[in-house]
Structures are given as structure tokens and as C-alpha cells.
Amino acid sequence: MAQLTELTKEQAYAIADSLAQASSLVLELRIRERTSLAPPDQDLLEQYENHLDQMVALFRAYGISLIAEGAEQARSDIEGAIAKGKAQLKRIADVKAAISAAAKLVDLGAAILSRDPFAIGEAAASLRAKPEKQG
């Protein structure tokens, strides 16, 4: 079995706090746009918000461990990608693009839970990519 690298409690909490902030941004978007959101989009945003909240609880309760090879790069990728996702949620006027950013944050959280630095790197790269124009 591969060696696991435990992130410190402070590192795990910083990631959890950042994902909690992202969840709050999704909630804020849902509230702000509630009159113009189609019901399926409302439901999708609420699901992503709930997924992020669940991940936050898991990270705080159990910490985060990563497969050792590539763990340090993965930790760096996580921090930058979450910041990028939060920035996208803050400035996005297009709801479809916001839904995409929220989905990518959930994907990143799932990749972190998988402990696989490669999956984390891919999810982080997806968040760092320029948002597609919705039209």
C-alpha cells in the first residue's frame, strides 16, 4: 500500500474553511438569483452547496491524507484551485458558469477525499482553466 501523508490540522482546516467560504458563495448566488434561476439550476446549486458542506465536515472531523508521491504539489494545487474557484463564483454573472465553477469545486473535494494527487492535480487544473463562455 502506498505511503500516506497527513496534512497538519491547520492545513486541513484551512482547506475546509476555504471550501466553506465557497459553499457560502454558492448560497449567496442562489439567494441573489432565486427569481431568475430555473428550478433545475436552483436544485443543482443547492446540491453543490450541500456537497461542499459535507466535505467541509469530513475534512474537519477526519483531517486530510494524501498519497505521499506528489502530496506536496497536490496540497499546493488545492489551495490555488479553491482560491480560483471562489474568485470565479464571486465575479460570474452567468449562472451556468457559476454552476460549472461550483461543480468543479465539488470535483476537487472528491479528488481530495480520493487521496490521489493526480486526481487532485486534474481537478485543480480544471478550476484554473479559463471558464467557458456560455451561450
Side-chain angles (χ1 to χ4, degrees), residues 18-46:
S18 201
L19 285 174
Q21 292 166 1
S23 174
S24 293
L25 291 170
V26 174
L27 171 63
E28 185 180 306
L29 174 71
R30 250 186 347 104
I31 291 170
R32 186 178 65 240
E33 300 294 330
R34 73 178 166 271
T35 58
S36 63
L37 281 174
D41 290 342
Q42 289 174 349
D43 293 344
L44 204 51
L45 283 171
E46 187 172 7

Side-chain angles (χ1 to χ4, degrees), residues 14-30 45 48-50 52-53 56 81-90 98 101-102 104-106 108 127:
I15 292 168
D17 289 347
S18 201
L19 285 174
Q21 292 166 1
S23 174
S24 293
L25 291 170
V26 174
L27 171 63
E28 185 180 306
L29 174 71
R30 250 186 347 104
L45 283 171
Y48 291 144
E49 178 190 340
N50 290 335
L52 288 168
D53 289 342
V56 168
I82 293 173
K84 180 75 174 190
K86 288 184 344 190
Q88 288 177 13
L89 284 170
K90 285 179 185 175
K104 289 176 184 179
L105 282 165
V106 170
L108 177 62
L127 270 162

